[in-house]
Amino acid sequence: MPRPGPLRVLTGAVVAATLTWLGAWAAGAAEPPVGTPGDTGSGDSYYPAMGNGGYHVAHYDIDLTWRPLGRTVEARTVLTSRATKDLSSFNLELDGMQVESVHVDGAPAAYVRDGAELSVTPAQPVPDGTSFAVRVRYVGTPPVVVAEDGSSTGWIPTADGGTVLAEPTGAMAWFPVNNTPRDKATFDISVSVPNRLKAASNGALVRRDTGPKRTTWHWRERWPMAAYLATVSIGEYQMYRSSMANETSAGMPLLSFVDPRLGRAATARSQLPAVTSFLRRSFGPYPFDTSGMIVDNVRVGYALETQGRPVYPDAPPDWLIAHEMAHQWFGNSVTPRDWRDIWLNEGFATYSEWLWEAEKTGRPGVAQRNFDYYYGAHGAASPYWTLRPGDPGPENMFADQVYERGAMTLHALRTEVGTPAFFEILRAWVAENQHGSASTAEFVELAERVSGRQLDALFEAWLYTPSRPAL
Ligand code: TRP
Ligand code: ZN
């Protein structure tokens, strides 16, 4: 007998489920579940209204057509999700634009919009544990989303197109999303643009379809990705292809997009392999299998570690490449479960800058020197020490202290446990949590397990105390 193909398996499963249900129904048991609404938040400390309960997204399939005239998109996103309870309705986030239709498993669904919340009521409840597809069609101009700290995120318009920078909650500017870093998914992203433009995104460029007027760029991120790390960047780019060796291949593709008005970023592009190799030696295998950079004239005042292919507002210096590439391990592969734990991103990326500088200069004392510098630059009475990097507040997520005192926290840990145990901790953190989400409490627990020391007091003093820790 031939092995059953995927279709046969599926058909078999459907038949089995139907028979089970018919059997139960004939026996006078319950009808299909009535269900209850999914939570309209995810419990995040800083963005409690963002993200939703009752399901997990496994995959986003985003299809955008972008038109320069009016800077509008026509879009269709399909989310493939799994219900975590019997769902009568559920929420997504989508900011701005106009929803044209919502379908669940091919059937039209009712929907209501309230601010950024999109509530969907399927024709039939979704039973616990089942996979379901939500298709949303929408049109309009994707918005800038102003974060709680006042920074501009979302769809950032540029002279020649636009770029998505979505940390922490800007993903809802361009696709309907379970807008929380604790629900990671894989992505297919297709973007149609006029032929004179290019559309960069995350992961691998799987195909380009060019017609007489427009080209569709098909991108795929095959590793779980938090929504805030997804990007699309449209512009009159110069595209540069090269490759570098990594753990699994002699030629990991590097694909970079540079706005020619900002030069060629030749130095930065040439530094990327050396920086990445150094980080691999420090933290373990590179978590993804593509990389590169997007250099675009976004006037937001920050770079972003968009997965695999960070966005820089100008040709980046090597310390910034080290910072954004370190995020591929710390933030992208291991993602904070709660925005309060942002130091797990920024403290680690800043400490990686220090490590890279030590490597580059051959002076191993760089980290100690930087630690001493920040410790002494702010006297014990300085208000600098009142901001707690382990809980900076939504308006201070990207404050200097999250970066600097966050990095000092790691240096204090290294001083306490010794350099070998310190790197063992970082590597274990990455290995045990790769492609997942994790918390500060889990990091402390892991550091204690690996080092065999009691470290609560150290982390309490460095992360959670509003004063300068004693040395
Ligand atoms: N995560 C970014 C980085 O460190 C920085 C960042 C994102 C940021 N959003 C911000 C900085 C808003 C300041 C304000 O590379
Ligand atoms: Zn950072």
Side-chain angles (χ1 to χ4, degrees):
M1 206 177 90
R3 261 163 30 88
L7 189 65
R8 188 179 299 230
V9 170
L10 192 71
T11 310
V14 169
V15 169
T18 308
L19 289 177
T20 306
W21 179 77
L22 280 174
W25 181 74
E31 304 247 332
V34 178
T36 50
D39 284 340
T40 60
S42 64
D44 189 84
S45 304
Y46 291 175
Y47 287 91
M50 291 290 122
N52 309 285
Y55 65 94
H56 286 298
V57 185
H59 187 73
Y60 292 91
D61 188 328
I62 304 171
D63 200 327
L64 295 183
T65 298
W66 188 74
R67 299 188 195 283
L69 191 69
R71 297 173 169 277
T72 54
V73 301
E74 289 159 36
R76 183 234 62 188
T77 292
V78 177
L79 302 85
T80 307
S81 304
R82 181 173 293 276
T84 56
K85 62 177 201 154
D86 295 335
L87 274 179
S88 58
S89 65
F90 57 87
N91 273 27
L92 297 165
E93 280 83 25
L94 179 68
D95 197 15
M97 296 185 286
Q98 192 183 321
V99 174
E100 299 201 304
S101 67
V102 179
H103 288 74
V104 176
D105 288 336
Y111 60 91
V112 180
R113 300 192 72 187
D114 180 9
E117 296 296 326
L118 170 63
S119 296
V120 177
T121 304
Q124 254 100 57
V126 182
D128 186 11
T130 59
S131 176
F132 63 106
V134 183
R135 186 174 80 221
V136 183
R137 292 188 187 280
Y138 50 106
V139 296
T141 300
V144 171
V145 176
V146 179
E148 294 283 332
D149 69 347
S151 60
S152 293
T153 77
W155 188 287
I156 310 294
T158 59
D160 53 347
T163 294
V164 170
L165 298 172
E167 189 183 20
T169 67
M172 61 186 176
W174 68 296
F175 61 98
V177 55
N178 189 21
N179 205 5
T180 165
R182 54 186 85 172
D183 194 12
K184 295 165 72 166
T186 54
F187 283 72
D188 274 288
I189 298 171
S190 298
V191 185
S192 158
V193 293
N195 281 339
R196 71 189 161 80
L197 300 176
K198 294 186 174 73
S201 184
N202 311 91
L205 178 58
V206 289
R207 206 168 71 244
R208 250 189 301 179
D209 296 326
T210 301
K213 294 217 169 104
R214 304 181 64 88
T215 298
T216 303
W217 295 68
H218 297 272
W219 294 89
R220 178 168 301 149
E221 178 50 89
R222 54 187 285 249
W223 304 103
M225 174 162 73
Y228 79 94
L229 297 166
T231 190
V232 62
S233 182
I234 297 167
E236 289 165 6
Y237 282 121
Q238 183 66 49
M239 184 169 85
Y240 298 94
R241 267 178 202 277
S242 62
S243 66
M244 68 170 284
N246 77 355
E247 290 72 18
T248 53
S249 132
M252 171 168 90
L254 301 179
L255 202 43
S256 293
F257 293 80
V258 180
D259 182 336
R261 280 162 290 199
L262 300 172
R264 296 168 46 82
T267 306
R269 285 185 290 109
S270 73
Q271 288 167 330
L272 176 63
V275 171
T276 306
S277 297
F278 168 69
L279 297 171
R280 284 166 45 207
R281 293 196 298 278
S282 304
F283 308 135
Y286 178 67
F288 311 116
D289 53 13
T290 60
S291 191
M293 60 179 70
I294 298 170
V295 180
D296 191 19
N297 196 5
V298 279
R299 298 162 189 275
V300 291
Y302 60 86
L304 189 66
E305 63 268 25
T306 42
Q307 192 148 309
R309 194 165 286 109
V311 174
Y312 302 94
D314 204 344
D318 62 330
W319 64 264
L320 188 56
I321 300 172
H323 181 105
E324 304 307 338
M325 291 309 289
H327 276 308
Q328 306 307 314
W329 286 259
F330 304 111
N332 299 12
S333 179
V334 185
T335 305
R337 191 171 294 122
D338 193 297
W339 285 118
R340 181 168 53 194
D341 293 340
I342 185 66
W343 86 281
L344 291 173
N345 289 8
E346 302 308 344
F348 287 56
T350 302
Y351 199 70
S352 302
E353 295 172 33
W354 301 1
L355 295 174
W356 166 248
E357 192 188 336
E359 165 79 4
K360 189 180 64 170
T361 60
R363 288 187 279 119
V366 167
Q368 183 65 47
R369 191 198 64 195
N370 286 354
F371 178 97
D372 293 344
Y373 170 78
Y374 289 116
Y375 196 90
H378 306 285
S382 167
Y384 179 91
W385 299 104
T386 61
L387 191 135
R388 305 178 308 142
D391 189 4
E395 64 294 336
N396 287 312
M397 272 177 58
F398 303 104
D400 290 349
Q401 292 92 327
V402 174
Y403 289 68
E404 296 160 4
R405 189 170 160 181
M408 294 171 82
T409 302
L410 289 174
H411 194 69
L413 173 64
R414 180 179 178 175
T415 305
E416 175 71 20
V417 303
T419 293
F422 175 71
F423 282 99
E424 230 184 286
I425 289 167
L426 294 188
R427 295 173 77 100
W429 178 244
V430 163
E432 292 180 22
N433 296 291
Q434 68 169 330
H435 304 312
S437 304
S439 67
T440 300
E442 288 164 26
F443 181 72
V444 173
E445 199 184 300
L446 181 144
E448 291 186 335
R449 167 161 54 80
V450 172
S451 69
R453 308 222 191 180
Q454 168 50 242
L455 297 166
D456 285 333
L458 183 150
F459 285 107
E460 187 63 33
W462 278 97
L463 292 178
Y464 299 115
T465 305
S467 57
R468 188 168 74 170
L471 290 183

